[in-house]
Amino acid sequence: MGNSYEAVTGRRAAILRASTGIDYDHLEQGGIAFDYEALMQQVPLTIEEVAAVQAASSVGNTPLIELHNITELVRRESEHGYGARIFVKDEAANPSGSFKDRRASLSAYFAAQNGFTGMIAATSGNYGAAVASQAARYGLDAIIIQEAFDSAGVGQPEILEKTRKCEALGAEVLQTSVGPELFYALLRTLEETGYFNASLYTPYSIVGIETLGLEIAEQMRVQTGQDPDVVLATHAGGGMVTGTARGLRKAGATNTRIVGVSVDLHGLHMASDRDFNRKSFTTGHSGFSIPFTAWPDRADVPRNAARSLRYLDDLALVTQGDVFFATELLARVEGIERGPAGNTSLAAAIALARTMGREETLVVSETEYTNAGKAPAAQLSFAASNGIDIAVGPRTEDEPGATIRFPRQLGDVRAEHIDLDRVRRSYLRKQSQEKKITAADHQFVAGELNVTEERLRELIHTVTTESSR
Amino acid sequence: MSGMIAEGSWVKIRFHLLETAERAAGLPIETAEHPYEVYATGRLEAAAKLGEQVTIRTQIGRTVQGELCEDNPGHWHTYGAAPAAFHEVTNYIDELRRSLRHG
């Protein structure tokens, strides 16, 4: 049994079955379709039971805070009668400082229940700290595998902070150089240890987020007497969007619009050693969100439980400068110093609130903790040391990897809306490359794209016409 | 002995998980030309010098082998110093904050 790249990835199905307890093959329906709801039902708990599991390890029930001062400032910049109320779910109040504790809590619960002695996660994000934290609560070992540094051995400050935090919470951390072989490293370590795969993309992880949507609906009803009009979710691999949207639906908030928001990092290659340290945001960016939205099964499990295109009503991009601005605004005007993840959505909320009536409401679905490495000055000084030109200026001059431009004033914060049909067509093109889309797949694919079957046939026609040119 | 790091010391090691020729296909050239490398930290199993192949025991008790590259590694990332342009942003936001005082 060899350990070459090809040999280990060739054993992928068996390793993942053993390390998740999920037989993904049984969910397949031939062709493109698989039974998505059966995948989600691998977690045999009601949402109330999930909340109880999370409460037992101090996860969830985080405050929902109305941002009165930011709302007031937005209203000053808006036309008469405009300027929606902005709220934020303070997920930094979770044990490891982010909503990722919700994801990790169910993985730890099921790992312990099924006799695993440890958990492994391949992530450079807050999820590593969440797995480390929940593993500690359950007396499990944790290994976190992080893509952390370039070939010169230089680490991104935000990821270095996450390394520190994981180690502080008792985890073994394996820091890797740049490359998609992170998945190979994960498979090898799973095979060597026999630990549970606490993937970001199993149903354990996504069902764990549903309580966030439930809490948002319940808290908004108490605080405003109504469901939120819009929930903004910072979007990368699709977990936050999927889990929050499913939780809102389970709470009966079926008219709430879900807006995914990412930092625009167009032009930067995620597998590039050269580009690795030229970005100031290591997650919640378009380098993950666009590919994952259009092709969710590029994950570290055969079928990704995070399928954001099923739930998105809108997808927006903000600039790195917008997020730094929003981070400072939240700290200095509201007295809430938090990390970049939630502030990505806050930047879009500021822009979107100007277009909504004063009686309407927006909820930013998360905050995250901040610290050295995560703070704006840490990222900006690192960017400057990598030759990034930093200035106040028009967003037309903003070029990821080369420049960062801050908004001159609040009214300059913008959110660029992405045409979801463009992403849907990309999904169809990718599926077509893998397998032919047959009539038997239409119901599944329509659900995947959140469109009617009639609209799906139009989209397929467009893609077919494009490809035959 | 000079330069020896004592058994049980907290150290960092590195090793190649994949050599350059073994890496995944389709990588950007600037990535593909380097081996896929891993750093790990733990307690040194036997006294050794920097650069030697060693075994460490990690925080969770696993043993990992690699080249000894650092004695007593720390975390040195900082809060950084904001560039001048960012002070323009914070000054502007502070003005917004003062404006709220006046309703």
Side-chain angles (χ1 to χ4, degrees):
Chain A
M1 195 169 70
N3 280 331
S4 70
Y5 182 82
E6 290 74 19
V8 172
T9 53
R11 298 196 293 274
R12 158 190 170 137
I15 295 170
L16 293 177
R17 192 180 310 118
S19 61
T20 61
I22 298 172
D23 185 353
Y24 286 89
D25 290 344
H26 273 82
L27 302 168
E28 294 298 324
Q29 297 178 325
I32 286 169
F34 77 101
D35 191 340
Y36 178 53
E37 286 307 320
L39 173 64
M40 300 309 286
Q41 286 161 13
Q42 298 291 311
V43 180
L45 301 175
T46 65
I47 196 166
E48 292 79 15
E49 290 168 334
V50 171
V53 167
Q54 293 178 332
S57 58
S58 308
V59 173
N61 285 314
T62 56
L64 180 74
I65 302 170
E66 182 165 6
L67 304 179
H68 293 284
N69 288 342
I70 291 179
T71 298
E72 169 59 24
L73 292 169
V74 168
R75 287 178 173 175
R76 291 183 188 177
E77 302 271 345
S78 305
E79 290 182 28
H80 180 70
Y82 285 85
R85 295 165 67 182
I86 303 174
F87 296 74
V88 66
K89 187 76 166 139
D90 196 17
E91 287 290 286
N94 281 303
S96 78
S98 81
F99 88 100
K100 297 289 175 64
D101 287 319
R102 296 179 190 266
R103 305 181 84 151
S105 60
L106 283 194
S107 287
Y109 175 77
F110 280 99
Q113 273 210 330
N114 289 290
F116 289 89
T117 57
M119 299 197 292
I120 305 178
T123 172
S124 302
N126 288 325
Y127 188 56
V131 168
S133 172
Q134 289 298 301
R137 309 277 302 198
Y138 281 86
L140 300 171
D141 291 336
I143 301 175
I144 309 303
I145 309 174
Q146 298 179 325
E147 185 184 50
F149 56 89
D150 66 12
S151 59
V154 177
Q156 221 284 351
E158 186 177 1
I159 298 175
L160 297 182
E161 162 54 21
K162 290 165 182 171
T163 304
R164 179 207 65 77
K165 182 131 184 163
C166 290
E167 287 189 351
L169 295 168
E172 172 186 319
V173 181
L174 299 174
Q175 294 178 294
T176 80
S177 52
V178 178
E181 295 96 333
L182 187 70
F183 182 50
Y184 163 84
L186 169 68
L187 290 174
R188 264 191 73 167
T189 316
L190 286 168
E191 199 170 46
E192 286 169 10
T193 59
Y195 286 172
F196 184 80
N197 179 11
S199 161
L200 281 159
Y201 306 111
T202 62
Y204 311 113
S205 177
I206 305 308
V207 168
I209 306 167
E210 290 178 0
T211 53
L212 174 56
L214 177 72
E215 288 175 26
I216 288 172
E218 290 177 341
Q219 289 172 311
M220 284 296 284
R221 287 166 187 164
V222 169
Q223 293 191 32
T224 71
Q226 60 187 29
D227 291 338
D229 293 292
V230 172
V231 170
L232 299 107
T234 300
H235 182 33
M240 168 62 96
V241 165
T242 304
T244 306
R246 289 176 62 89
L248 284 162
R249 287 183 184 182
K250 287 186 177 180
T254 51
N255 292 323
T256 299
R257 290 176 57 78
I258 305 295
V259 178
V261 186
S262 305
V263 182
D264 184 359
L265 290 188
H266 76 270
L268 294 179
H269 195 306
M270 293 305 119
S272 167
D273 187 75
R274 182 190 57 232
D275 290 349
F276 183 70
N277 282 329
R278 300 183 72 80
K279 54 185 187 290
S280 297
F281 293 84
T282 60
T283 186
H285 59 68
S286 58
F288 290 142
S289 67
I290 301 298
F292 266 102
T293 306
W295 185 241
D297 292 324
R298 66 198 299 279
D300 59 3
V301 287
R303 288 296 196 175
N304 190 347
R307 309 188 84 81
S308 57
L309 208 42
R310 286 176 173 259
Y311 302 98
L312 281 170
D313 294 299
D314 198 357
L315 182 56
L317 297 180
V318 294
T319 65
Q320 296 182 101
D322 288 331
V323 185
F324 287 124
F325 185 101
T327 299
E328 286 303 298
L329 190 70
L330 184 67
R332 289 169 181 266
V333 169
E334 296 286 354
I336 302 170
E337 187 190 25
R338 297 290 184 267
N343 297 331
T344 300
S345 286
L346 177 60
I350 289 166
L352 191 54
R354 287 195 293 264
T355 69
M356 296 170 61
R358 287 183 172 221
E359 72 289 356
E360 294 185 283
T361 58
L362 292 153
V363 177
V364 172
S365 66
E366 64 167 315
T367 60
E368 64 164 324
Y369 88 100
T370 191
N371 206 337
K374 286 190 168 203
Q379 285 296 329
L380 290 167
S381 50
F382 185 67
S385 73
N386 280 291
I388 310 293
D389 177 49
I390 300 166
V392 174
R395 59 201 306 109
T396 51
E397 290 181 2
D398 190 274
E399 185 185 346
T403 65
I404 292 172
R405 290 292 178 266
F406 303 121
R408 189 169 299 283
Q409 55 193 1
L410 189 66
D412 292 339
V413 175
R414 289 277 184 272
E416 180 198 347
H417 295 269
I418 300 298
D419 177 7
L420 277 179
D421 271 352
R422 201 180 84 196
V423 184
R424 291 181 178 115
R425 290 194 297 274
S426 178
Y427 173 100
L428 291 170
R429 276 193 294 273
K430 181 67 182 167
Q431 286 286 18
S432 305
Q433 288 166 11
E434 301 288 321
K435 289 177 181 171
K436 183 174 170 53
I437 301 173
T438 67
D441 294 313
H442 279 200
Q443 185 182 5
F444 171 81
V445 177
E448 286 276 273
L449 303 186
N450 195 17
V451 296
T452 63
E453 289 192 44
E454 184 183 355
R455 179 69 187 130
L456 172 64
R457 283 190 287 274
E458 292 170 1
L459 288 166
I460 290 173
H461 176 72
T462 304
V463 170
T464 308
T465 307
E466 284 171 356
S467 62
S468 64
R469 277 182 195 146
Chain B
M1 192 188 301
S2 173
M4 289 297 281
I5 300 170
E7 176 186 338
S9 298
W10 183 251
V11 298
K12 179 178 277 189
I13 63 166
R14 66 180 173 202
F15 57 93
H16 293 176
L17 199 58
L18 292 167
E19 298 299 337
T20 307
E22 299 172 316
R23 296 200 63 169
L27 296 175
I29 293 169
E30 72 273 16
T31 307
E33 66 189 7
H34 302 287
Y36 188 59
E37 194 168 33
V38 179
Y39 284 82
T41 51
R43 302 269 169 211
L44 196 56
E45 286 279 273
K49 291 180 179 176
L50 289 176
E52 291 183 346
Q53 289 295 309
V54 298
T55 298
I56 61 166
R57 191 165 293 276
T58 71
Q59 289 203 127
I60 64 168
R62 279 206 321 147
T63 56
V64 182
Q65 286 82 39
E67 177 194 327
L68 182 57
C69 60
E70 192 174 349
D71 183 19
N72 197 22
H75 298 285
W76 306 109
H77 56 289
T78 71
Y79 287 93
F86 198 57
H87 290 297
E88 291 181 50
V89 173
T90 55
N91 289 343
Y92 166 74
I93 291 173
D94 289 344
E95 285 176 25
L96 289 180
R97 172 176 158 150
R98 282 190 287 275
S99 76
L100 286 165
R101 202 182 298 161
H102 306 297

